[in-house]
Amino acid sequence: MAVLRRMLHKAKSPTEGKGGEKRSFFKRRSSTEQEVPPSGPRGPEERPMSPVSGPGVEGVDGHDGRRRISFLKRSRGKTEPALDTATADVGVGKEPLSVLQILQLVKARELVLADSHIIELEGECEKSGGRQCEAHTDSGRKVKDVALLYKELEAELAAIVRGSLADPGTTSHLGQLALTIEQEEKADRERDSRGREPGELRQKWRQAVKDSVSERLSAAQTEGNAAIDRRLGSLGDQTVTDLIAVWKKVAVGYPREFEAFSVYVRSYHEAVASSLAQIAQQEMDIQQLYTFLEWTYCLYFREVLGHEELTAHISKQHLGPLLPADTLQTLEDNCVSMVKARVTKQMKKELDVEQERWRQESKVFHSELANRIIQLLKEDIERSSAISEGLESRIAKCGLQCLADFLQSFQGSVLELYDQFADYTARMECVVPQTVAVVNCCPAFRDYIERLIQKYSSDEQELKRKMMGALDKVERRGVNLLTDKLFSELKPHFAKLLRKKWLQSSEGFEAAIATIREHFNQFHKMKTPPYQTLVDGAHRRVVTEYLRPLMHGRVSCTSQEMRTRLALRLNEDSWKLQELFHSLQSTMTWLDLAIGHLAEIIALKETSCIQMEVGVLVSSYPDVCKHHISAVLDIRGDLSPTTKQLILECLQELDAHDGSSSLARDRALFTEIDQATAINCLGFGGTSTPGCLTQCLQALRQRANRSR
């Protein structure tokens, strides 16, 4: 403005008149000079007198003068202030306005008219030498004046843009702004060489929009150190509010070809991206990082650009990414690292809590360990699933690796606990509850691992085997521990079976049944499938232990009556065992008929019937061998060696069925029993044979091997 004041001061110095005096370009018209109004009535094309240039503006440049007046009529707002009358009284078309007058037009937001005079002044500069004659005082001053006026014009343009965003109701000058830009671009087309780049004013307008948007969004985020969720919330709310106002009130003030709404949308998008880039440089904990990534990946596009009043007017595919790919990758890497560290630490803490519960000899049959560990993993997977599928998959795989490491520690701790239980001499009442509680963790872990592997990491079979192997050991050792505890209490009862007192009283067998029921009242609190493994294994072992004394020849019949009584007791006990284990939900129903078949072999009288029953027994239990059948035949006490040999002759190939087939392994029963020693070898009746001696030695040898 100091420059402008000096220019005005020089303009007031005496000058030459028309008759030989040269008039200064910047001289203001005297207030005494009168304008002679044109004679005759105004035609329909004439316009009211401009408060700046008067009625003679048309004569400044012929057609161009009329064009400027036409722009003025179209673009002037109703509330634009009139210029001072001292500056409005300008010569009739022969003399351009002064710099100060043009500046006043700019301030009055008569942008189209002001720009037309600036263009005219710029043309005068080019005619008088332009930049090549800047050494000349007058030409150099004009060039500087043009630059200063353009600077003021651009500043006013930016103010209009800023004001329209701050108060969308005051958009009356946007038309002037748009027409000014179009006028500049027309001048660019008419003159190849100008001091400004073609389309520069439109670029300045776009930059003004960007700057205004950036200022508004920066102010909306309150303090820079505010919580990230509040900053993002404020950023989104301000963007939505502003874009709705732009669509409804601001964009309509521009010509359609300006595509003003798209310009504003892109400016807001870039301003949001800039804000996010600043936030991304901050230190964030895992929850803040989740919030930031979710807003960046999803919420911005869903709740801001996808707002119900905006989504139909915004083409999201034309907008670039909010953050560069390498920045997002770094943020995701940080997220995965933080999840791994946090989950590993929390899992260790949960295992420590569980071990403390063991030390307190808890008698509770339930543990929340598996649920707490799974919930830890679920939280991060579910949180990441709201962000992107890629991050969700990475977090899930990270969780699987953390779980694999945890299960190794869990297995080691549990096996140590089992070893302590095996050596327990006191407070045995806590063994079953704690073992059941520990084993019950395995099905939950197993099911969750299967689902994670299937959904996220089907190629991680080695990792799966590692985890399942740890769970198998925990389950198997737990089931074996409980089974051993059960049979340690059943041992005295089984010792009473198949003796003379057993034939007379069922007290010992009933005590064994009661002991099994009592233990399974506790074992039943174990989850499936480990419970199924436990009850099926117990069923097989009970039948095995029941048959063992029978195979060892603990009893020998001396009469048909005794054989009938023995067979009857065997059948009664068989039915009781079937009823017991059916109630306990055993699936080993193929064991039900084993005792009954042996009872039939003992009770039948006809050799042919015995042979048929032996055949049925062998077909049902492929692992039965000749020495097993020989032991049962010896219990009868009534078969001659010839008859016995006749029965066994039909089974010459039984020795080949030594439990080696897959069917025998699936239904192994008799291979679990020590090979029967020949009762006759021990002098309990009948004749001793070399074959019996061989069987006896084989049985003793195998028993010695097992004891090792």
Side-chain angles (χ1 to χ4, degrees):
M1 292 305 295
V3 174
L4 294 177
R5 291 191 189 97
R6 288 196 299 271
M7 294 166 59
L8 289 174
H9 177 72
K10 293 178 180 180
K12 293 179 181 179
S13 60
T15 57
E16 297 177 351
K18 289 184 178 181
E21 295 179 347
K22 185 178 181 180
R23 304 186 68 180
S24 171
F25 182 83
F26 297 98
K27 180 178 179 181
R28 297 176 59 187
R29 181 182 296 276
S30 170
S31 61
T32 61
E33 294 179 7
Q34 300 295 325
E35 185 72 25
V36 179
S39 61
R42 291 190 299 175
E45 294 300 321
E46 292 182 294
R47 298 290 182 266
M49 183 173 61
S50 167
V52 175
S53 59
V57 172
E58 292 185 14
V60 174
D61 195 17
H63 175 73
D64 288 341
R66 288 191 297 273
R67 176 178 55 82
R68 292 195 295 273
I69 294 300
S70 176
F71 272 119
L72 177 61
K73 180 182 179 183
R74 293 187 318 177
S75 60
R76 288 178 58 186
K78 296 180 180 180
T79 59
E80 296 176 15
L83 291 179
D84 187 276
T85 55
T87 62
D89 188 14
V90 183
V92 183
K94 294 183 180 181
E95 184 177 326
L97 298 182
S98 70
V99 173
L100 183 58
Q101 289 174 317
I102 298 173
L103 179 63
Q104 287 180 323
L105 285 174
V106 172
K107 295 300 182 183
R109 293 190 172 174
E110 292 279 0
L111 302 182
V112 177
L113 188 56
D115 183 60
S116 67
H117 286 291
I118 297 173
I119 293 172
E120 185 176 353
L121 181 58
E122 187 179 27
E124 291 292 331
C125 292
E126 293 177 0
K127 290 178 183 179
S128 60
R131 297 184 180 275
Q132 297 178 0
C133 302
E134 287 189 15
H136 190 277
T137 304
D138 188 52
S139 298
R141 185 173 66 246
K142 289 180 182 180
V143 171
K144 293 180 180 179
D145 291 342
V146 170
L148 288 171
L149 288 171
Y150 270 125
K151 184 175 181 180
E152 291 297 325
L153 182 67
E154 292 164 3
E156 199 62 35
L157 180 148
I160 292 173
V161 171
R162 189 163 50 250
S164 66
L165 275 179
D167 184 4
T170 59
T171 58
S172 57
H173 299 294
L174 294 177
Q176 284 271 320
L177 183 153
L179 290 173
T180 301
I181 294 173
E182 290 176 344
Q183 183 171 265
E184 277 288 315
E185 292 174 345
K186 181 178 180 182
D188 291 338
R189 292 191 296 271
E190 291 176 352
R191 293 203 302 271
D192 294 335
S193 60
R194 296 185 68 194
R196 299 165 61 81
E197 294 292 332
E200 183 175 342
L201 195 58
R202 187 182 292 263
Q203 293 300 324
K204 292 291 180 68
W205 164 67
R206 290 194 178 101
Q207 187 60 47
V209 173
K210 290 182 181 181
D211 294 342
S212 300
V213 167
S214 180
E215 290 175 8
R216 288 184 63 77
L217 293 189
S218 296
Q221 296 177 65
T222 62
E223 306 90 7
N225 59 351
I228 288 177
D229 57 343
R230 292 206 304 273
R231 289 188 63 183
L232 295 174
S234 300
L235 191 65
D237 292 344
Q238 188 67 55
T239 301
V240 169
T241 302
D242 285 0
L243 285 178
I244 291 175
V246 168
W247 172 254
K248 291 182 176 180
K249 299 179 180 180
V250 177
V252 295
Y254 292 93
R256 179 175 298 180
E257 58 270 18
F258 266 60
E259 298 182 344
F261 186 66
S262 296
V263 173
Y264 277 87
V265 169
R266 182 169 295 279
S267 297
Y268 273 96
H269 183 75
E270 292 175 358
V272 168
S274 178
S275 297
L276 294 180
Q278 294 176 4
I279 297 174
Q281 301 302 316
Q282 301 178 11
E283 291 290 335
M284 289 183 277
D285 60 31
I286 184 61
Q287 295 305 326
Q288 291 174 328
L289 188 52
Y290 274 141
T291 299
F292 180 80
L293 288 173
E294 182 180 7
W295 200 91
T296 302
Y297 274 108
C298 303
L299 297 183
Y300 170 73
F301 294 96
R302 185 170 66 241
E303 298 181 3
V304 178
L305 300 184
H307 189 275
E308 59 182 358
E309 295 190 52
L310 298 174
T311 185
H313 314 300
I314 296 176
S315 298
K316 301 177 186 177
Q317 64 271 20
H318 294 153
L319 300 174
L322 283 174
L323 290 174
D326 57 344
T327 300
L328 291 173
Q329 183 66 37
T330 299
L331 292 173
E332 289 189 12
D333 291 344
N334 292 342
C335 182
V336 173
S337 297
M338 284 191 282
V339 167
K340 183 176 182 179
R342 183 177 67 87
V343 169
T344 300
K345 180 179 179 181
Q346 194 63 31
M347 284 181 171
K348 183 179 183 304
K349 182 179 178 181
E350 293 293 349
L351 183 57
D352 291 341
V353 172
E354 188 71 10
Q355 288 176 313
E356 180 60 30
R357 194 177 73 90
W358 297 342
R359 285 189 287 271
Q360 294 174 359
E361 298 184 341
S362 170
K363 300 180 182 63
V364 179
F365 285 82
H366 178 69
S367 170
E368 285 292 329
L369 177 64
N371 293 335
R372 292 195 299 267
I373 296 298
I374 292 171
Q375 187 59 35
L376 275 176
L377 299 175
K378 278 186 175 180
E379 288 175 1
D380 289 293
I381 294 175
E382 290 174 359
R383 194 75 170 86
S384 60
S385 68
I387 298 172
S388 71
E389 291 184 1
L391 182 61
E392 178 188 7
S393 178
R394 292 187 65 188
I395 293 296
K397 291 179 180 180
C398 172
L400 275 172
Q401 187 59 60
C402 291
L403 183 58
D405 295 339
F406 167 79
L407 290 179
Q408 294 302 310
S409 300
F410 175 66
Q411 172 195 321
S413 300
V414 170
L415 295 186
E416 289 180 6
L417 178 69
Y418 289 163
D419 290 340
Q420 294 174 13
F421 287 163
D423 297 336
Y424 249 137
T425 56
R427 300 188 63 81
M428 290 293 291
E429 62 271 14
C430 70
V431 173
V432 174
Q434 288 194 9
T435 303
V436 170
V438 167
V439 171
N440 278 345
C441 293
C442 296
F445 281 133
R446 196 183 301 276
D447 178 66
Y448 190 65
I449 291 168
E450 290 283 2
R451 285 188 282 119
L452 285 186
I453 291 287
Q454 181 179 3
K455 184 174 182 180
Y456 300 107
S457 190
S458 57
D459 57 335
E460 295 286 350
Q461 294 303 315
E462 184 60 35
L463 185 64
K464 177 181 177 180
R465 282 192 292 270
K466 179 181 177 182
M467 291 187 284
M468 294 304 187
L471 295 175
D472 287 342
K473 288 182 181 179
V474 171
E475 285 182 346
R476 186 168 57 250
R477 285 285 302 274
V479 167
N480 291 343
L481 178 68
L482 296 179
T483 304
D484 290 343
K485 184 178 185 301
L486 168 64
F487 280 90
S488 67
E489 298 188 26
L490 287 176
K491 187 175 181 179
H493 303 304
F494 282 130
K496 299 177 182 178
L497 299 180
L498 294 171
R499 298 185 183 275
K500 290 183 178 180
K501 289 185 178 181
W502 166 74
L503 281 174
Q504 299 171 358
S505 173
S506 62
E507 180 180 350
F509 183 76
E510 293 295 343
I513 295 292
T515 300
I516 294 171
R517 288 191 184 278
E518 179 183 355
H519 278 72
F520 270 91
N521 285 336
Q522 295 181 315
F523 297 166
H524 202 70
K525 297 176 182 178
M526 184 180 291
K527 294 179 180 179
T528 303
Y531 172 78
Q532 199 64 59
T533 302
L534 175 62
V535 69
D536 288 349
H539 189 179
R540 184 200 297 258
R541 188 166 171 182
V542 165
V543 174
T544 299
E545 294 298 329
Y546 187 93
L547 293 178
R548 193 182 304 279
L550 193 64
M551 296 293 102
H552 289 175
R554 187 178 289 178
V555 64
S556 179
C557 298
T558 57
S559 64
Q560 181 60 39
E561 180 183 358
M562 187 174 180
R563 285 191 291 274
T564 303
R565 285 171 52 199
L566 176 59
L568 182 61
R569 274 306 305 274
L570 289 173
N571 280 320
E572 288 178 356
D573 290 353
S574 176
W575 280 108
K576 288 179 181 179
L577 289 177
Q578 291 180 45
E579 181 183 4
L580 170 65
F581 283 101
H582 288 176
S583 68
L584 297 179
Q585 302 174 341
S586 171
T587 61
M588 309 288 278
T589 54
W590 59 274
L591 293 168
D592 292 344
L593 300 179
I595 300 175
H597 284 313
L598 297 178
E600 287 299 309
I601 292 173
I602 293 172
L604 289 172
K605 298 178 181 179
E606 298 293 333
T607 300
S608 59
C609 293
I610 296 174
Q611 287 177 323
M612 292 179 61
E613 191 64 34
V614 168
V616 173
L617 175 66
V618 173
S619 64
S620 299
Y621 302 95
D623 65 328
V624 68
C625 295
K626 185 181 295 186
H627 51 265
H628 297 133
I629 297 174
S630 178
V632 176
L633 295 177
D634 287 338
I635 291 174
R636 291 177 57 93
D638 66 335
L639 297 178
S640 65
T642 303
T643 304
K644 179 179 176 181
Q645 187 62 32
L646 183 63
I647 295 172
L648 294 177
E649 279 180 356
C650 65
L651 304 171
Q652 291 296 324
E653 297 183 2
L654 281 179
D655 287 335
H657 299 279
D658 202 21
S660 59
S661 68
S662 59
L663 180 60
R665 286 194 296 271
D666 292 340
R667 294 195 172 190
L669 173 61
F670 288 89
T671 53
E672 300 293 326
I673 304 171
D674 290 338
Q675 290 184 355
T677 54
I679 299 176
N680 292 342
C681 292
L682 302 178
F684 290 102
T687 59
S688 177
T689 65
C692 292
L693 179 59
T694 301
Q695 291 177 355
C696 180
L697 291 175
Q698 288 176 346
L700 292 174
R701 197 175 292 119
Q702 290 185 0
R703 186 179 300 175
N705 291 335
R706 288 193 181 92
S707 64
R708 293 174 187 171

